[in-house]
Amino acid sequence: MIRVKFGKAISVALVSGIVLSSCGGGSGSLGFGSLGGSSGSGGGGLFGAFSKPVEKKPIDQWTAEEIYKRGEYDLDRGDPSEAAKWFGEVERLYPYSEWAKRALIMQAFAHHKDRDYEQARASAQRYIDFYPASEDAAYAQYLLALSYYDQIDEIGRDQGLTYQALQALRTVIERYPDTEYAKSAILKFDLAFDHLAAKEMEIGRYYLKRKHYSAAINRFRVVVEQFQTTTHVAEALHRLVESYLSLGLADEAQTAGAILGHNFQSTEWYQSSYRLLTKSGLKPEAKGNNWLSAVYRQLVKGEWL
């Protein structure tokens, strides 16, 4: 998989363009340019009105368009929390209108920008449930996945959200494979997957440092068998060499060294493993009939094909 770090922030203008792209241009266009002062108005229009105290007429006397554009205005001035409230009012007062449909996806975005991830997920899921055939359903699903992804904590914390992010990202990839969101989801899926491998490595190193070799081996084995596309496999193989040598299991240590040498010969991990093995009168080669021998046959000899 490709490993590229994607920025997690999405500009308001970009998202508005994505969400409203299906609405057409002309006088009905809702891009931010249409919200400022019109020619000859001297800075009038809705943006001009919103920069002053909001008129005091009851909210239920506002049109759906006025409420929606007020939400856009608050997004533009950096107040996503307030914007989400206005978009919610559109949905409440005009639930069956086209404005409510647009407001719902923007409400999800505003909550996400405000880092209110639970509400962002709720709004995005409602959009998917109500408008599954909409061309913006792909973005809603992607935003739902981001609400998990952007909450992934450091590797020392519980990784439940990482698993949820992976599941949600997979849905984007499988359900909307030809969209720009699928491309981004693939990159984030790879990073989240790597994150889980890092968690296994952290626990394995913890056990290894305390000489709980069997427990450490179990963690490093998970990385080698289940996270072969991540950046942690080379270190996991080296730690297996360390652990098996400590237990006096030469065949396993040599086989781990052989896999490491075949796939990561230029790394510091292989150099360290090679020194450990030769110091014990051993060398990197496939030996015995163990789980690492099966991995060797698959990765090196291609017998799994």
Side-chain angles (χ1 to χ4, degrees):
M1 290 186 178
I2 304 172
R3 293 185 177 88
V4 178
K5 290 187 176 180
F6 246 58
K8 297 176 185 176
I10 304 176
S11 70
V12 172
L14 174 61
V15 172
S16 293
I18 292 172
V19 173
L20 305 180
S21 61
S22 63
C23 302
S27 61
S29 175
L30 295 178
F32 285 113
S34 69
L35 302 183
S38 57
S39 59
S41 65
L46 287 174
F47 265 21
F50 294 150
S51 64
K52 303 172 184 177
V54 178
E55 56 182 302
K56 296 182 179 181
K57 66 179 181 180
I59 186 65
D60 57 4
Q61 293 181 20
W62 288 47
T63 67
E65 181 179 4
E66 287 175 333
I67 303 172
Y68 181 93
K69 288 184 176 181
R70 173 58 201 248
E72 279 195 327
Y73 167 75
D74 282 323
L75 271 180
D76 190 60
R77 72 185 183 93
D79 191 350
S81 177
E82 190 67 19
K85 296 176 184 177
W86 286 102
F87 291 132
E89 286 298 300
V90 178
E91 187 184 8
R92 182 178 69 87
L93 294 172
Y94 302 93
Y96 305 111
S97 67
E98 184 65 22
W99 290 105
K101 179 180 177 182
R102 302 175 191 179
L104 183 53
I105 192 72
M106 292 303 289
Q107 183 183 14
F109 170 72
H111 281 310
H112 186 271
K113 193 170 182 64
D114 194 40
R115 298 186 179 184
D116 188 346
Y117 298 117
E118 185 174 348
Q119 289 299 322
R121 282 193 289 274
S123 298
Q125 188 61 61
R126 283 206 313 280
Y127 190 92
I128 296 166
D129 292 341
F130 293 163
Y131 313 107
S134 168
E135 63 182 53
D136 290 323
Y139 176 69
Q141 185 65 56
Y142 178 70
L143 193 58
L144 191 153
L146 279 186
S147 71
Y148 288 115
Y149 180 85
D150 288 351
Q151 280 189 283
I152 294 176
D153 293 319
E154 296 182 359
I155 60 175
R157 305 285 297 278
D158 176 74
Q159 296 303 297
L161 283 171
T162 307
Y163 284 104
Q164 290 175 297
L166 286 168
Q167 183 176 358
L169 289 166
R170 183 185 295 275
T171 299
V172 176
I173 296 165
E174 294 178 348
R175 189 175 296 174
Y176 308 101
D178 299 323
T179 65
E180 60 188 293
Y181 309 115
K183 297 176 182 178
S184 178
I186 289 172
L187 300 174
K188 288 177 169 59
F189 186 97
D190 196 23
L191 292 172
F193 199 61
D194 199 85
H195 194 88
L196 286 179
K199 176 66 174 181
E200 296 294 330
M201 290 301 301
E202 182 193 46
I203 297 173
R205 286 191 295 267
Y206 173 87
Y207 286 132
L208 181 60
K209 185 176 181 180
R210 287 154 181 79
K211 299 183 179 181
H212 302 315
Y213 300 116
S214 295
I217 288 169
N218 288 337
R219 295 294 182 165
F220 301 137
R221 178 174 180 172
V222 168
V223 175
V224 172
E225 290 187 325
Q226 300 181 24
F227 296 92
Q228 293 180 2
T229 61
T230 69
T231 59
H232 302 281
V233 177
E235 183 187 356
L237 288 165
H238 170 66
R239 301 302 181 189
L240 285 168
V241 172
E242 287 184 313
S243 301
Y244 281 126
L245 284 178
S246 298
L247 292 174
L249 299 174
D251 287 356
E252 287 82 352
Q254 288 178 277
T255 305
I259 299 170
L260 183 56
H262 184 272
N263 291 281
F264 308 99
Q265 190 168 13
S266 62
T267 66
E268 61 177 307
W269 302 116
Y270 176 69
Q271 301 303 322
S272 297
S273 289
Y274 186 83
R275 286 193 295 269
L276 286 174
L277 290 168
T278 55
K279 185 177 179 180
S280 300
L282 304 170
K283 62 180 180 180
E285 61 178 340
K287 300 277 288 188
N289 186 22
N290 50 67
W291 73 271
L292 279 165
S293 297
V295 173
Y296 180 87
R297 290 193 297 270
Q298 292 173 0
L299 296 182
V300 179
K301 303 181 72 174
E303 294 183 1
W304 58 280
L305 297 174

